[in-house]
Amino acid sequence: YDLRPEFALYHYDHFTSRLSSLRKTIRERNNRALLDQEAIDNIASNHPVSFFSHKGYTQWQYSEAQELLKEDLEAGVHKTMSRLDLYGSRPEYYEHFPRLAFRDKVNQEIRTAKYLHTLEVRGKDTRKK
């Protein structure tokens, strides 16, 4: 305590009260975290996940079409055919999504793949840790 000049401003006789105050603050914040988690759980139970987008078609995230598109993109199919031909190549694409929405999803998946590749190259990819 006396060996460090940065501690010279603080008196040792206040240490225990400051430590107990710090412990009290941490305890209160942990309790608040529990209350927040309860509120989130309550909201999630009252508002179930929708299987359809606000436009009326199937949710893209975790859909079979998304998985198939990722496979097609990894295989490079999008480089050999147009977006319209890619759209017509699988019934999972054209039966569940409008053409323009599918086109936007293709572009989104390409951008995501590029971004994830950039993170991997830079060594900042947190998914692999």
Side-chain angles (χ1 to χ4, degrees):
Y1 172 75
D2 290 330
L3 299 176
R4 297 281 191 155
E6 56 266 16
F7 295 140
L9 298 175
Y10 306 103
H11 300 287
Y12 186 75
D13 50 338
H14 296 293
F15 177 78
T16 55
S17 64
R18 289 184 178 139
L19 181 62
S20 65
S21 174
L22 182 62
R23 286 180 176 159
K24 179 182 173 192
T25 302
I26 291 171
R27 195 176 321 110
E28 288 172 356
R29 289 189 181 182
N30 286 342
N31 290 338
R32 179 57 194 247
L34 292 173
L35 292 175
D36 288 346
Q37 187 60 48
E38 288 176 10
I40 289 173
D41 293 341
N42 185 29
I43 290 170
S45 67
N46 290 335
H47 302 283
V49 175
S50 174
F51 296 108
F52 299 97
S53 71
H54 65 283
K55 294 185 179 180
Y57 48 84
T58 307
Q59 286 285 6
W60 178 256
Q61 194 72 20
Y62 306 114
S63 69
E64 187 178 358
Q66 182 188 29
E67 297 302 319
L68 292 171
L69 180 62
K70 285 181 180 181
E71 291 174 10
D72 287 346
L73 292 177
E74 287 177 12
V77 175
H78 66 291
K79 296 177 183 175
T80 60
M81 60 173 55
S82 69
R83 299 286 194 270
L84 183 60
D85 293 336
L86 182 62
Y87 177 68
S89 67
R90 294 184 189 256
E92 290 84 357
Y93 298 157
Y94 60 80
E95 287 178 356
H96 300 289
F97 298 97
R99 184 179 55 84
L100 295 178
F102 179 76
R103 179 202 62 195
D104 293 340
K105 296 302 181 183
V106 170
N107 293 335
Q108 174 186 344
E109 292 296 335
I110 291 171
R111 285 191 314 269
T112 301
K114 286 180 181 180
Y115 175 71
L116 293 175
H117 175 74
T118 302
L119 288 179
E120 186 177 335
V121 168
R122 293 181 181 171
K124 297 179 180 178
D125 192 358
T126 58
R127 296 173 303 142
K128 299 197 179 186
K129 290 184 179 179

